[in-house]
Amino acid sequence: MTRTKRGYPARRRRTKVRSFVSGFQGAHSKLTRTISQQEIRALNSAHRDRDRKKRDFRRLWITRINAAIRERGVSYSYSRLINDLYKKQLFLNRKILAQIAIANKNSMNILSNEIVKRVDCKASARIINGIPRRMISGFFE
């Protein structure tokens, strides 16, 4: 069997990996073994932090919505707003609600006032003359 020279394929493979870690400092961008370890570590961190970024943004949106809601009154909170939105079947996501809260606080207050009024009206009108609301068809629609 003939002798195989492995210089070119090995160098090509290492060069490809080196391009990934070109911005790293010290041995992390110079030594082949450390380069491969740092590549694995970087890819793991990127994968983990993609999920973390989603979590962090959701927390930020919730904080913004809660701050905007509590400006109008201490008795009303984020959890009650979301609960009332679901009762009213208005499926606005938290990102959109946070943008509304920042861009136009007045419309956020109007939205929450309307939701509170309608939910309170329906809650108070749940039983009419001893008859449960679900038995009266078409009366509230």
Side-chain angles (χ1 to χ4, degrees), residues 60-61 64-65 68 96-105 108:
L60 175 67
W61 296 330
R64 286 178 175 171
I65 295 167
I96 299 298
L97 285 172
Q99 288 176 350
I100 291 171
I102 289 172
N104 195 353
K105 291 182 182 177
M108 187 69 172

Side-chain angles (χ1 to χ4, degrees), residues 86-103:
Y86 274 96
K87 281 181 187 173
K88 190 68 186 119
Q89 293 183 343
L90 288 173
F91 300 115
L92 294 172
N93 63 15
R94 286 156 183 83
K95 180 180 178 181
I96 299 298
L97 285 172
Q99 288 176 350
I100 291 171
I102 289 172

